[in-house]
Amino acid sequence: MTTTATTVPTDLTFAAVEHAAEVVAAEVAPTPLLSHPLLDRSVGARVLVKHENALPTSAFKIRGGIYLASALGDEEVAGGLVTCSTGNHAQSIAHAARLAGTTATVVMPGCAPEGKRAAVEALGARVVVEGDTMADAAAGARQLAAAGAAYIDPTDPRIILGHATLYLELFRARPDLAAVYVPIGSGTGAVGACLVRDRLAPGCRVVGVQSTAAPAVWRSWRSGEIQSAEATTRASGLATSNGYPNTHPLLRAGLQDFLLVPDEDLDAAARRLATVAHTLAELAGAASLAGLLADPARPGTARPGSPDRPVAVVVTGGNASSDEIARLSA
């Protein structure tokens, strides 16, 4: 499916998202958007769950890999791909390399779960472990790419456009949403949500959610300047230690709020999804529900005939580690 990058849209426009959606739809079906009555009762609001855990690789980030594969240039395909990731982006790039008929090397920090490393290798990519943080892995990936491969930044505009297709599905189905809660690692998903919301559901609040144990992007959003912070969260998908120049200004412009929640709240949200929505979510994937529960502006108690507009939470990934699964019964 490879074409040269000059033949496909890569600017962050609504039209480019629509084009990306056509590419993604040729590879994967739309994910379910479901109501779970016990979850509504538990939360006290009408909640719609976007089940991105139903995708191949069990995470929304495969959308970015699919669109990237369609937009790679000839030199990128010839040289192979190099990127850095704690897991779900890694699998998406491994999948992209398969689609494009090229190779992929993924540099992962030591904190990346072993199961995610194995999943990347199973997709045919080479895994290199470098350092303890995403910053270490990013430096290692750039060094490897200097030998002639194409470095794929996790916030590459082609990745963002692929991720935005999630929200095109969501807002086309439910333009009446009062709010959508989006887990934030690098912020690509939240940028996509804001981009589509502005066109299809301008009355919807987009609320970012990050762990208190990895607050770099939140600090950047609050201060207006790129910040760094230690990332010690157990949620690998949120374990970013720096703000990202490609997403920072768009998050600043687009998010209505940005909440920090402790890892213990992520565990509690994952347990709630498992028990009342029968959904296995990794901690990053449960962050959206944790954010809803922590939001003082969330809608009031759901009741028959309530005029409250529904809200949406996005289960961005279902790749729970063995430790995360064990804590579901804690």
Side-chain angles (χ1 to χ4, degrees):
M1 65 183 297
T2 305
T3 58
T4 59
T6 57
T7 64
V8 295
T10 57
D11 292 337
L12 297 181
T13 65
F14 184 76
V17 176
E18 290 184 306
H19 176 82
E22 294 177 1
V23 174
V24 171
E27 296 290 333
V28 295
T31 56
L33 179 64
L34 301 177
S35 172
H36 299 276
L38 286 177
L39 181 62
D40 290 354
R41 180 186 297 178
S42 170
V43 173
R46 290 194 291 154
V47 184
L48 297 171
V49 181
K50 183 67 167 164
H51 285 276
E52 293 293 287
N53 55 307
L55 285 167
T57 76
S58 299
F60 84 107
K61 291 199 171 180
I62 195 174
R63 295 173 179 269
I66 290 170
Y67 189 60
L68 176 77
S70 77
L72 289 172
D74 294 339
E75 290 185 2
E76 291 175 307
V77 173
L81 312 179
V82 175
T83 196
C84 57
S85 173
T86 55
N88 290 339
H89 170 68
Q91 291 183 68
S92 79
I93 296 304
H95 187 79
R98 275 188 167 188
L99 289 176
T102 188
T103 61
T105 298
V106 180
V107 183
M108 307 181 78
C111 65
E114 182 59 39
K116 289 188 176 181
R117 296 185 208 172
V120 173
E121 291 175 332
L123 286 168
R126 180 170 73 106
V127 172
V128 176
V129 178
E130 181 71 36
D132 298 320
T133 68
M134 270 294 292
D136 296 332
R142 290 183 184 277
Q143 186 174 3
L144 281 176
Y151 176 68
I152 304 298
D153 189 287
T155 62
D156 185 299
R158 296 168 293 185
I159 298 291
I160 294 173
L161 289 170
H163 293 172
T165 65
L166 181 175
Y167 298 97
L168 191 64
E169 291 178 11
L170 175 64
F171 287 125
R172 278 178 171 169
R174 295 304 301 254
D176 61 328
L177 291 172
V180 58
Y181 295 83
V182 184
I184 290 183
S186 63
T188 55
V191 168
C194 294
L195 177 62
V196 179
R197 180 276 315 273
D198 290 347
R199 176 63 69 90
L200 297 183
C204 178
R205 296 168 65 233
V206 177
V207 181
V209 188
Q210 193 169 47
S211 170
T212 56
V217 179
W218 177 85
R219 289 185 182 178
S220 301
W221 182 80
R222 293 271 295 185
S223 70
E225 298 179 355
I226 299 295
Q227 301 283 324
S228 299
E230 187 177 10
T232 59
T233 177
R234 295 192 302 271
S236 61
L238 307 181
T240 51
S241 52
N242 297 283
Y244 289 78
N246 283 353
T247 56
H248 170 70
L250 300 169
L251 294 175
R252 288 271 296 172
L255 291 180
Q256 276 61 59
D257 205 351
F258 197 160
L259 305 173
L260 287 181
V261 297
D263 280 7
E264 291 75 16
D265 285 4
L266 300 178
D267 283 329
R271 282 193 292 272
R272 194 176 301 213
L273 284 168
T275 54
V276 302
H278 312 293
T279 299
L280 177 64
E282 60 189 273
L283 288 191
S288 51
L289 178 58
L292 168 61
L293 294 169
D295 186 2
R298 80 174 190 261
T301 303
R303 59 192 181 278
S306 169
D308 290 338
R309 291 156 59 201
V311 299
V313 297
V314 183
V315 178
T316 51
N319 293 305
S321 69
S322 57
D323 288 343
E324 290 171 358
I325 292 171
R327 285 195 299 274
L328 291 176
S329 60

